[in-house]
Amino acid sequence: MTQNTQAPAPRTAPGSAPAAPRGLVDVRRRPSSWTGLWFVLPFLAFYAVFLLWPAIVGFGYTFTDRSLAGGDVSFIGLDNWSETLTDSDMYDSLWNTLWFTVLSVPLMVVLALGMALLTDHARRLGWFLRLSFFAPFVLPVTVMTLIWGWMYNPSLGLFNGTLSRFGIEGPEWLFSEDTAMFSVVAATAWWQVGFNYLLYLAAMQSIPKDVYEAAAIDGAGVWQRIGRITLPMLARTTALIAVLQLIGSLRVFEQIYLMTMGGPNFATRTVIQYIYDSGFVGLRIGLASSMAYVFMVLIIAASIAQFRLFSRKEG
Amino acid sequence: MRRASRAPHAPPPPLAPVGPGRRAFVTGALATAGLAAAGCAPPDTLISGETRLRQWNLFAGGDGLRMIEMHDAYQAEHPGIDFRATTFTWGAPFYTKVAMGAAGGRGADIATVHVSRLESLAPGRLLDPIDPGLLAEFGIDDTVVLPNIWEKCFFDGQLYAIPIDTHVLIQYINLDVCRQAGVLDADDRLVEVSGVDAYFDLLREIQGVTGDYGLSMDTWNPWSNFWALYRQQDGELVLGEDDFEMDDDKALAAMDVMYRLAEEGLAPRHSRDADTAANIANGHAGLMIHGNWEIPTLEATGIEFSATQFPAVFGNHRTRGDSHCYVFPHQRDRDPERTRAAAEYAAWMLHNSLTWAGGGHIPAYQPVVESAEYDALHPQSEYREAAENVQFEPEAWFSGSAGRLQEEAAGALTTLHQGTQTPEQALDQLKGTIRNLLSVPSPV
């Protein structure tokens, strides 16, 4: 859990500790030693064999017409790259991915913060809220999509069944091009927000209580305490959650694939599904690799941009 | 957090020895690793004296249960065969595994696929040919399988597949609802109607009873329905090198049926997977068009139902279908003994496919279909002629069950059910989809 190092350390004596260098991890200077290398060696080996090497090989595939069905492979230069960059379906799926991200990231950051604040303040019900807010996160994706698939069912589902009792004809949820993406985002938020919530809660509980006590003595109300103490102290956690959520949302695949298969009429087909369709259903591994690389570059760029934005804000 | 707040130079807390010591741990780990390695590589023919036979399939649910039942019987009769069957997720995940195993020359000894996917599995490279002589030794040849199915198993003049069954779209009948609607004859058979108008009238009468729909159908994967309706009019789809021919008028007529069914409220706008069967089981619809594999589902609901061939919307009972078949995935060092065992296994499964028929599929092995036992299977025997009316899709690397065409075409066709596109717009989109698929070089 390297994320935990992100949470603000208790600043009991401001100014006495050296300022943490910019970057993810607060590295303290130590005499150089090779011992540490042995500890990370197993991880590095796995990383190299199962991530780095396939990534390098995959990059090589982008210049070939390699098929999942085997057969002769020939070098085709930049054909896959140009096909990727001129394919309108690729842009449609990129747009869907972006739309999902735009809808889900702010929602899942704000929701997590609200839930954490609630838990932090409702002391007596804390255990209950912690349990109910985090419980959906442990569900396997298949279970989550089954539950929500039935609830969303326009004619037999819980939502429209309930609405019809009040004489309201409910929307078509996953079955309409207009509402499918929103429905997927709502289900995803319910399912995944627990992780962000946990990060927020941990960070919130490490804010020293005496700061609040001092503020209370000076007459600060609940909202002032939240606005002037809690939120600023959580800035780095927010930055971390936002970046993690951004990357997570951009990589969305499985719940959408299970709930809508990218439909109706491709309204929810994301980039990852399009890569999957091209590579595994369409057998074109070379093309799928170049799509994956294009997408990887976009994710890295977006993450760097967002991280810069947040760290600058912090000053 | 607590760890971070500890002073950097504080001595580490003393470590109390917990659990096994270092040496014991290493010894244990090594022993476990050894066991695991042994487990991963089960003793081969040399040690056990048994012939190893590995089968891969994509059957889950009702199909899967019947296949397990058959495998148990097969194993009881074949103690000399070390048989192991593995089931993978249906669809693209399964085909990916078959292709990759075979590409490395380490495919299973025998696998089940859809005959419509033969071309995308590169016969000759990913699939090894099957010796018809060997198969004939076990009683399987062109005299015991319908010719239209047997032909599909050949590629470049060589046999690559052994058909197990035909599965088609059929029409299910909720007897209770249809009796009330007065559309059954004295023997509880659905009155025979022919033509679009007559079929719509029939559905309207049923709708009068249900208050909801006349017909339940899958709106999420509509390609099969479209293909049946298109082929009922003799519509052709000729795929060339970089162009194709399609009969626009016939395609529009088929699409118009799908569009109007939803527009008039005779069929649901949205129905997928389990919803489709739920609609007829709950009495929201009196008829359902679905694959014959839904029979176990309806049996489980306990409703009184029957089934018949795909409705003669355009004057005949042609229907979209496919066949499950056995193939020999490519192996670098194909062992004759295991190949022989695989052929014998396939023949055994065909001979015993009455169990398989219980799940709704029409067995490919004709002596079973013509037997008195099959006759007694209800409603399976009601639609046995459907195997002769089956319409396969044109051969191409992207066609067939769980293929690219089916997946891509669904985009255009679902809009008909939803009413978001007219048949003309949907046809344009569908043709664009086919054009796109043709424009890419075949990866096979």
Side-chain angles (χ1 to χ4, degrees), chain A residues 67 69 153 175 259 265 277, chain B residues 125 272 275 407 418 429 443:
Chain A
S67 158
N153 188 304
F175 285 91
M259 291 175 96
N265 200 10
D277 283 347
Chain B
R125 196 175 72 228
R272 184 188 171 192
D275 318 354
E407 190 163 295
Q418 290 180 1
Q429 192 186 337

Side-chain angles (χ1 to χ4, degrees), chain A residues 18 26 39 60 93 106 110 115 120 134 163 191 196-197 208 223 240 264 272 283:
Chain A
D26 181 357
F39 287 102
S93 61
V110 172
M115 282 154 54
D120 203 38
F134 190 69
L163 287 174
W191 175 47
N196 298 349
Y197 159 76
W223 293 110
L240 170 82
I272 303 270
L283 311 173

Side-chain angles (χ1 to χ4, degrees), chain A residues 81-148:
Chain A
W81 290 89
S82 65
E83 190 178 337
T84 302
L85 295 173
T86 54
D87 180 3
S88 64
D89 287 347
M90 178 77 185
Y91 288 102
D92 286 348
S93 61
L94 269 173
W95 167 249
N96 288 338
T97 309
L98 189 70
W99 184 222
F100 176 87
T101 308
V102 167
L103 291 175
S104 64
V105 174
L107 177 72
M108 286 169 77
V109 173
V110 172
L111 214 58
L113 180 65
M115 282 154 54
L117 279 172
L118 205 64
T119 315
D120 203 38
H121 282 84
R123 299 260 161 205
R124 282 218 183 134
L125 277 174
W127 67 272
F128 176 72
L129 293 179
R130 274 198 299 275
L131 177 74
S132 34
F133 288 156
F134 190 69
F137 184 75
V138 300
L139 285 183
V141 63
T142 42
V143 177
M144 186 284 277
T145 51
L146 270 179
I147 296 174
W148 281 79

Side-chain angles (χ1 to χ4, degrees), chain B residues 309-389:
Chain B
Q309 293 201 63
F310 193 96
V313 180
F314 288 100
N316 57 64
H317 289 291
R318 283 188 202 156
T319 182
R320 192 265 174 191
D322 202 342
S323 272
H324 290 125
C325 60
Y326 286 115
V327 292
F328 292 175
H330 174 61
Q331 291 180 344
R332 216 174 296 135
D333 312 298
R334 185 161 271 288
D335 176 54
E337 194 194 341
R338 278 160 67 178
T339 303
R340 197 177 168 77
E344 200 268 347
Y345 155 81
W348 189 94
M349 293 295 277
L350 260 66
H351 291 146
N352 292 279
S353 52
L354 188 69
T355 313
W356 193 237
H361 302 310
I362 307 166
Y365 187 62
Q366 287 305 297
V368 166
V369 180
E370 288 153 10
S371 67
E373 290 93 333
Y374 187 77
D375 229 20
L377 275 186
H378 184 80
Q380 284 88 336
S381 54
E382 303 284 334
Y383 56 82
R384 74 179 97 192
E385 295 86 2
E388 291 163 52
N389 281 324

Side-chain angles (χ1 to χ4, degrees), chain A residues 12-305:
Chain A
T12 40
S16 66
R22 282 198 190 213
L24 268 175
V25 186
D26 181 357
V27 188
R28 283 168 213 279
R29 288 201 147 256
R30 288 210 147 209
S32 85
S33 153
W34 289 99
T35 326
L37 187 66
W38 294 105
F39 287 102
V40 293
L41 199 61
F43 171 77
L44 280 181
F46 270 90
Y47 186 78
V49 172
F50 293 106
L51 197 84
L52 276 184
W53 178 241
I56 293 166
V57 172
F59 188 68
Y61 286 173
T62 64
F63 304 106
T64 67
D65 62 354
R66 177 174 279 273
S67 158
L68 190 70
D72 298 333
V73 179
S74 44
F75 181 80
I76 54 165
L78 292 172
D79 284 6
N80 285 328
W81 290 89
S82 65
E83 190 178 337
T84 302
L85 295 173
T86 54
D87 180 3
S88 64
D89 287 347
M90 178 77 185
Y91 288 102
D92 286 348
S93 61
L94 269 173
W95 167 249
N96 288 338
T97 309
L98 189 70
W99 184 222
F100 176 87
T101 308
V102 167
L103 291 175
S104 64
V105 174
L107 177 72
M108 286 169 77
V109 173
V110 172
L111 214 58
L113 180 65
M115 282 154 54
L117 279 172
L118 205 64
T119 315
D120 203 38
H121 282 84
R123 299 260 161 205
R124 282 218 183 134
L125 277 174
W127 67 272
F128 176 72
L129 293 179
R130 274 198 299 275
L131 177 74
S132 34
F133 288 156
F134 190 69
F137 184 75
V138 300
L139 285 183
V141 63
T142 42
V143 177
M144 186 284 277
T145 51
L146 270 179
I147 296 174
W148 281 79
W150 278 112
M151 291 201 299
Y152 275 142
N153 188 304
S155 48
L156 314 162
L158 176 76
F159 293 142
N160 283 5
T162 312
L163 287 174
S164 69
R165 290 198 181 175
F166 299 101
I168 303 166
E169 198 191 333
E172 287 143 2
W173 306 108
L174 298 170
F175 285 91
S176 159
E177 290 173 50
D178 300 329
T179 52
M181 190 60 95
F182 294 101
S183 308
V184 169
V185 168
T188 305
W190 175 84
W191 175 47
Q192 288 285 294
V193 78
F195 183 71
N196 298 349
Y197 159 76
L198 216 60
L199 292 183
Y200 262 132
L201 198 64
M204 223 175 258
Q205 288 174 352
S206 70
I207 299 174
K209 297 288 163 268
D210 43 6
V211 183
Y212 287 111
E213 279 163 20
I217 289 167
D218 289 345
V222 175
W223 293 110
Q224 275 178 314
R225 271 178 276 165
I226 291 174
R228 299 284 170 83
I229 302 172
T230 315
L231 294 186
M233 295 283 256
L234 290 177
R236 298 189 69 181
T237 312
T238 304
L240 170 82
I241 290 176
V243 173
L244 288 178
Q245 189 56 56
L246 177 86
I247 298 172
S249 286
L250 285 173
R251 286 167 42 194
V252 62
F253 169 62
E254 63 269 37
Q255 70 267 36
I256 294 191
Y257 186 70
L258 290 168
M259 291 175 96
T260 68
M261 288 195 71
N265 200 10
F266 310 116
T268 57
R269 177 155 77 175
T270 60
V271 179
I272 303 270
Q273 193 194 334
Y274 192 47
I275 293 171
Y276 174 84
D277 283 347
S278 306
F280 292 105
V281 185
L283 311 173
R284 303 177 70 200
I285 291 299
L287 177 73
S289 301
S290 65
M291 289 173 167
Y293 262 92
V294 167
F295 187 48
M296 188 184 87
V297 169
L298 289 178
I299 286 198
I300 293 175
S303 315
I304 292 175

